[in-house]
Amino acid sequence: MRKKKSVIQLFSDSMNQLLYGILLTIVKLHAILPMAILYLFSDILYFFVYKVVRYRLSVVRENMKKAFPEKTADELLTLEKKFYHHFSDYILETIKLAHISQEELNRRAVLHNPEIINPLVAQGHTCFILLMGHYGNWEWFTGSTAWFDRIKIYQIYRPLTNKAFDRLFVFLRTRFQGVGIKKKDTVRDMIRLKQSNERSLVIFIADQSPNKSNLDFRTNFLNQDSAFVTGPERIATKLNIPVIFVDVRKAKRGYYTVDFELITDNPRETPEFGITAEYAHLMERSILREPAYWLWTHKRWKHTRI
């Protein structure tokens, strides 16, 4: 028998529904504006986030100082400002997902080599793991299926604590037929995808700090002893799924490109942690090419070696 909700739960659900409605209305009203206007708002947001709120400024400064000990104070300050400009752009660009057309998104987020999938499909593979980072604007790439014919895109995500904000991000990420997979359901759903022979790309944003219980692999990353999540590698090996790195570049304001790089088409023949190590190397290469476009607000180095 279904358990009835308490008065407190009903009130909480109602408030979340109300907040979601307010957020969605605000987002949609802004999303209908042209990108040029949104970037004017981004310039204002930059001042508010960086100068007034100073959002996670201490974390950003600590991360950058650790990553680039060779940079002078002036160089770090320049990088810091450039990051917050980009971060403000990322916020407004993500809001734009509520209204942007598929055609405009295709012009602004370009995948150079979707054909890399073809020989893998010819080998009999139907499911692929894409490893991305919090770099450029990952939101513009994780929800669109326009690059491929008859291939569905899935994204592994961790639900936000605030249900209204979580629902909003799910809406934005699934506007173009992308599908979210909750982190706790990853293994079950990927087994299902593998067994179904449905052509699918499953995106992992894999540059976050792992849980304390998953500190199996460490490597030098941005001059720091860094632990990396190994879940994608374990799943790839268990199910023998090819792994592809997603190399993002910001061509100019509001325009991004992606190149796919095959890490392995035979995970079971790859040495243990070889996939994770290669991902860390490629992710570091992307960041060093243009550091301002990585998400420096993350507490990336929470777990130090004991």
Side-chain angles (χ1 to χ4, degrees):
M1 187 175 179
R2 197 172 181 179
K3 191 176 180 180
K4 290 184 178 180
K5 291 185 177 181
S6 67
V7 173
I8 294 176
Q9 286 175 316
L10 289 170
F11 177 76
S12 177
D13 289 346
S14 297
M15 292 304 295
N16 278 316
Q17 180 69 24
L18 176 62
L19 178 58
Y20 172 69
I22 293 171
L23 289 171
L24 186 60
T25 300
I26 293 172
V27 165
K28 284 187 172 181
L29 286 174
H30 284 81
I32 63 175
L33 297 172
M35 291 299 298
I37 302 299
L38 287 178
Y39 284 130
L40 290 177
F41 285 170
S42 176
D43 292 339
I44 297 170
L45 183 64
Y46 160 78
F47 177 80
F48 181 76
V49 171
Y50 179 46
K51 298 292 187 179
V52 179
V53 177
R54 297 167 68 86
Y55 175 71
R56 294 201 171 189
L57 184 55
S58 61
V59 174
V60 171
R61 285 178 173 172
E62 181 183 1
N63 283 343
M64 288 183 175
K65 190 173 182 180
K66 286 180 177 179
F68 304 110
E70 77 286 358
K71 288 188 180 295
T72 66
D74 286 344
E75 288 172 331
L76 288 172
L77 181 60
T78 298
L79 177 58
E80 177 185 298
K81 290 178 178 178
K82 190 172 183 179
F83 161 70
Y84 276 101
H85 274 294
H86 169 73
F87 181 64
S88 300
D89 283 355
Y90 157 77
I91 293 172
L92 272 298
E93 288 168 358
T94 302
I95 287 173
K96 185 65 178 177
L97 278 174
H99 187 265
I100 196 169
S101 68
Q102 183 73 77
E103 292 72 25
E104 184 175 6
L105 188 60
N106 291 349
R107 287 192 299 104
R108 292 179 173 274
V110 179
L111 173 61
H112 282 152
N113 58 337
E115 69 279 357
I116 196 174
I117 298 295
N118 296 339
L120 301 174
V121 171
Q123 292 173 26
H125 293 290
T126 57
C127 188
F128 309 91
I129 287 177
L130 304 186
L131 297 184
M132 290 190 74
H134 291 91
Y135 189 86
N137 190 331
W138 55 97
E139 303 291 356
W140 277 12
F141 288 96
T142 55
S144 175
T145 57
W147 303 326
F148 304 99
D149 180 32
R150 295 179 290 112
I151 296 182
K152 203 158 189 176
I153 294 183
Y154 295 81
Q155 180 189 357
I156 309 302
Y157 77 101
R158 181 180 298 173
L160 300 175
T161 304
N162 186 291
K163 292 183 179 180
F165 276 95
D166 182 64
R167 189 175 170 188
L168 176 65
F169 270 90
V170 169
F171 164 73
L172 293 174
R173 290 167 176 166
T174 57
R175 265 205 68 218
F176 298 102
Q177 290 77 53
V179 179
I181 295 177
K182 292 181 181 179
K183 185 179 178 182
K184 66 181 180 63
D185 300 329
T186 302
V187 175
R188 182 197 66 189
D189 284 4
M190 291 207 63
I191 291 174
R192 176 186 61 79
L193 288 173
K194 176 74 173 180
Q195 292 176 341
S196 71
N197 288 324
E198 173 189 353
R199 290 189 183 180
S200 52
L201 304 176
V202 184
I203 298 173
F204 289 77
I205 309 294
D207 59 343
Q208 53 220 343
S209 184
N211 297 326
K212 285 186 177 180
S213 60
N214 183 24
L215 301 177
D216 302 322
F217 174 76
R218 288 180 174 274
T219 189
N220 187 282
F221 177 75
L222 295 176
N223 287 307
Q224 299 300 303
D225 179 63
S226 306
F228 273 80
V229 295
T230 56
E233 175 174 327
R234 291 199 301 270
I235 293 170
T237 302
K238 180 180 178 64
L239 301 178
N240 201 34
I241 296 175
V243 182
I244 296 168
F245 176 68
V246 182
D247 186 24
V248 179
R249 297 172 187 255
K250 186 172 184 176
K252 60 181 179 179
R253 197 177 200 184
Y255 291 87
Y256 300 87
T257 64
V258 154
D259 289 278
F260 280 175
E261 295 186 35
L262 181 65
I263 292 178
T264 180
D265 60 354
N266 194 352
R268 289 176 179 167
E269 298 300 320
T270 305
E272 185 179 20
F273 303 132
I275 293 171
T276 307
E278 182 64 9
Y279 165 72
H281 165 70
L282 293 172
M283 192 69 248
E284 182 182 58
R285 185 195 65 187
S286 294
I287 295 167
L288 292 177
R289 187 171 57 222
E290 185 48 83
Y293 303 145
W294 195 46
L295 189 62
W296 292 96
T297 52
H298 271 195
K299 291 185 178 180
R300 183 62 186 78
W301 295 289
K302 293 187 292 187
H303 306 306
T304 55
R305 192 187 294 270
I306 298 175

